[in-house]
């Protein structure tokens, strides 16, 4: 591709990014109002409340909605760097900057041999499809760290490890970025990640009380209404199941008979997914420049679909990781990424637009969840298959000596 053509494509991408982000900013500022609940309340009410508690010298340990590792305090406190703005506006500015950083990283990564500009387009479209939730949660900040980590990983394993460890302090899941790190690169990355995360936890525990309170809140969470496992109860309500939906631990969860069993099943499935990842690591002997990103995307997707919770902002993670995958021309994740983009588009419909229908288990709400969660499950299965086929050599049949001799006799008879 010549420079003029590349320049036109970049200009077109920036125009689309600017247009979509302008719409999202107007939604967050309530100039444009989507139907359904106000997605900005998490920042203006919950984050702002945590901000005041943290400034007083402790973690919000008494709030069951605080379910995040201690590094999340940095994200909640970050608007303080813009003291001339009110909290919600400052958070919006920082989220927008993080989004722009991701775009810049992907644009740079898409240049060169065996690279592709598709990654930047995936982020531009996928993150926008999630809707104003993109700027109303701190997940875009974590995603920026994760994207930087993966793009640095091939050449700078310790940088990968430090950023993955720091990301894990923010929200946990970035530790899965190391799923495909193997050999010397893997040892260096894992060592740096463990040291970074351990140091961060030690500092947090020493500095403020309640740094580890998130563990009990995470342990006690139930089956959230948007998760794959929740589909069973949505359908059961149609048949007369007497369970309810309640606001618990900061989200709408099912309560009633068999809900605890479903939560246990989800945890078992997540554990089974991690065992599959371990088996893949032991069997994989082929790799390319894209393998680290492909494995990270697959690992996060696998843990997402088996989780007791699938919040809308989880699609921001997947859009970012999918975008990194498609920066590499040889990535095997094209179809799974396309399915994730489709799922992101459905997500903005189920939350916030028709969230009341989801909570009530109405036909429209259940239908949207079936489509969205079905797309994610399909993407997960296809990603696992593609990763295995691309990296695990096929098993070759081994003939015993007697079988070889018999075959030769058959040929001469």
């Amino acid at each position: 591709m010549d420079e003029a053509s590349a320049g036109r494509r970049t200009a077109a991408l920036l125009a689309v990014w600017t247009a979509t982000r302008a719409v999202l900013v107007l939604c967050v500022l309530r100039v444009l109002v989507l139907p359904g609940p106000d997605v900005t309340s998490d920042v203006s009410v919950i984050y702002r409340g945590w901000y005041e508690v943290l400034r007083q010298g402790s973690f919000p340990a008494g709030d069951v909605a605080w379910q995040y590792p201690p590094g999340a305090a940095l994200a909640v406190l970050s608007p303080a760097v813009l003291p001339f703005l009110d909290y919600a506006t400052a958070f919006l500015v920082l989220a927008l900057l993080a989004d722009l950083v991701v775009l810049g990283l992907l644009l740079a990564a898409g240049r060169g041999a065996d690279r592709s500009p598709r990654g930047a387009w995936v982020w531009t479209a996928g993150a926008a499809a999630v809707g104003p939730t993109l700027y109303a949660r701190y997940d875009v900040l974590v995603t920026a760290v994760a994207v930087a980590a993966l793009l640095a990983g091939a050449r700078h394993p310790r940088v990968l490890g430090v950023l993955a460890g720091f990301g894990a302090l923010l929200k946990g899941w970035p530790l899965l970025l190391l799923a495909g790190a193997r050999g010397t690169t893997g040892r260096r990355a894992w060592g740096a990640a463990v040291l970074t995360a351990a140091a961060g936890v030690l500092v947090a525990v020493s500095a403020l009380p309640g740094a580890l309170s998130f563990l009990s809140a995470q342990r006690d969470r139930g089956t959230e209404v948007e998760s794959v496992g929740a589909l069973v109860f949505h359908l059961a309500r149609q048949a007369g199941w007497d369970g309810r939906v309640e606001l618990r631990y900061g989200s709408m969860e099912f309560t009633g008979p068999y809900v605890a069993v479903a939560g246990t099943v989800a945890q078992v499935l997540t554990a089974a997914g991690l065992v599959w990842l371990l088996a893949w690591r032991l069997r994989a002997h082929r790799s390319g420049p894209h393998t680290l990103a492909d494995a990270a995307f697959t690992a996060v997707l696998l843990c997402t679909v088996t989780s007791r919770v699938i919040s809308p902002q989880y699609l921001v993670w997947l859009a970012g990781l999918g975008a990194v995958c498609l920066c590499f021309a040889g990535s095997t994740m094209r179809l799974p990424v396309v399915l994730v983009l489709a799922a992101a588009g459905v997500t903005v419909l189920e939350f916030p637009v028709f969230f009341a229908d989801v909570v009530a288990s109405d036909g429209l709400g259940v239908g949207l969840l079936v489509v969205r969660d079905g797309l994610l499950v399909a993407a997960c299965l296809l990603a696992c298959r593609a990763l295995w086929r691309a990296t695990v050599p096929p098993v070759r049949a081994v003939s015993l000596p007697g079988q070889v001799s018999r075959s030769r006799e058959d040929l001469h008879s």
Side-chain angles (χ1 to χ4, degrees):
M1 184 188 305
D2 59 71
E3 291 187 9
S5 177
R8 287 193 296 271
R9 292 184 180 227
T10 300
L13 173 65
L14 292 175
V16 173
W17 184 90
T18 302
T20 55
R21 273 39 180 192
V23 173
L24 296 184
V25 168
L26 291 175
C27 289
V28 173
L29 295 176
R30 306 288 290 173
V31 176
L32 299 176
V33 180
L34 290 179
D38 179 9
V39 300
T40 66
S41 61
D42 272 37
V43 174
S44 59
V45 178
I46 298 175
Y47 288 11
R48 178 60 190 268
W50 291 341
Y51 173 83
E52 297 298 339
V53 173
L54 288 163
R55 288 182 64 191
Q56 293 171 11
S58 69
F59 283 88
D63 188 345
V64 293
W66 177 262
Q67 300 156 14
Y68 309 112
L74 297 176
V76 172
L77 291 170
S78 62
V81 302
L82 301 174
F84 48 88
L85 296 175
D86 65 86
Y87 184 88
T89 304
F91 187 91
L92 170 60
V93 170
L94 294 175
L96 182 62
L97 288 175
D99 180 8
L100 187 57
V101 166
V102 173
L103 180 68
L105 290 170
L106 294 169
L107 278 171
R111 299 190 180 102
D114 300 323
R115 296 298 181 98
S116 169
R118 285 192 297 264
W121 281 103
V122 166
W123 174 251
T124 298
V130 178
T133 300
L134 175 66
Y135 295 151
R137 305 291 187 275
Y138 80 87
D139 296 81
V140 66
L141 308 178
V142 185
T143 302
V145 174
V147 168
L150 281 179
L151 292 176
R155 295 184 179 180
H156 307 287
R158 288 193 176 91
V159 175
L160 163 64
V162 169
L163 290 176
F166 178 64
L169 285 170
L170 291 171
K171 202 146 191 181
W173 67 265
L175 199 62
L176 293 170
L177 302 178
L178 304 181
R182 305 174 67 250
T184 303
T185 296
R187 287 190 293 273
R188 291 175 179 173
W190 275 101
V194 170
L195 288 175
T196 301
V201 170
L202 182 61
V203 169
V205 170
S206 303
L208 301 175
L212 301 181
S213 62
F214 75 98
L215 292 173
S216 59
Q218 278 289 350
R219 179 197 62 206
D220 296 335
R221 291 201 73 171
T223 299
E224 192 258 346
V225 295
E226 298 164 275
S227 65
V228 173
L231 288 173
V232 174
F233 299 108
H234 282 295
L235 297 174
R237 288 177 94 182
Q238 309 292 333
W241 177 69
D242 60 353
R244 301 183 306 279
V245 174
E246 297 180 359
L247 179 62
R248 300 175 71 248
Y249 298 95
S251 65
M252 304 304 291
E253 297 183 355
F254 276 112
T255 62
Y258 309 110
V259 173
V261 175
T264 301
V265 170
Q267 291 175 306
V268 170
L269 289 175
T270 299
L274 294 176
V275 170
W276 181 89
L277 283 172
L278 178 60
W280 167 77
R281 279 179 58 88
L282 295 174
R283 294 285 304 277
H285 296 292
R286 299 184 301 204
S287 64
H290 52 84
T291 303
L292 182 68
D294 287 358
F297 174 73
T298 303
V300 174
L301 187 54
L302 189 57
C303 289
T304 297
V305 300
T306 59
S307 174
R308 293 171 293 175
V309 179
I310 300 182
S311 296
Q313 59 266 29
Y314 290 17
L315 275 295
V316 177
W317 318 343
L318 296 172
L321 299 182
V324 176
C325 291
L326 294 200
C327 281
F328 298 94
S331 175
T332 60
M333 295 295 141
R334 294 183 188 181
L335 181 54
V337 169
V338 169
L339 294 178
V340 165
L341 293 184
V346 179
T347 294
V348 75
L349 295 177
E350 64 90 3
F351 182 89
V353 178
F354 296 110
F355 192 60
D357 295 273
V358 172
V359 172
S361 300
D362 288 345
L364 176 59
V366 175
L368 288 171
L369 281 183
V370 168
V371 174
R372 197 281 302 272
D373 290 353
L375 287 168
L376 289 178
V377 170
C380 179
L381 295 175
L382 290 172
C384 290
R385 185 180 69 170
L387 182 66
W388 188 278
R389 288 183 172 182
T391 56
V392 177
V395 178
R396 296 179 180 177
V398 179
S399 300
L400 298 175
Q403 292 175 319
V404 173
S405 300
R406 186 172 300 172
S407 298
R408 289 175 179 171
E409 291 173 3
D410 292 340
L411 289 173
H412 291 291
S413 62

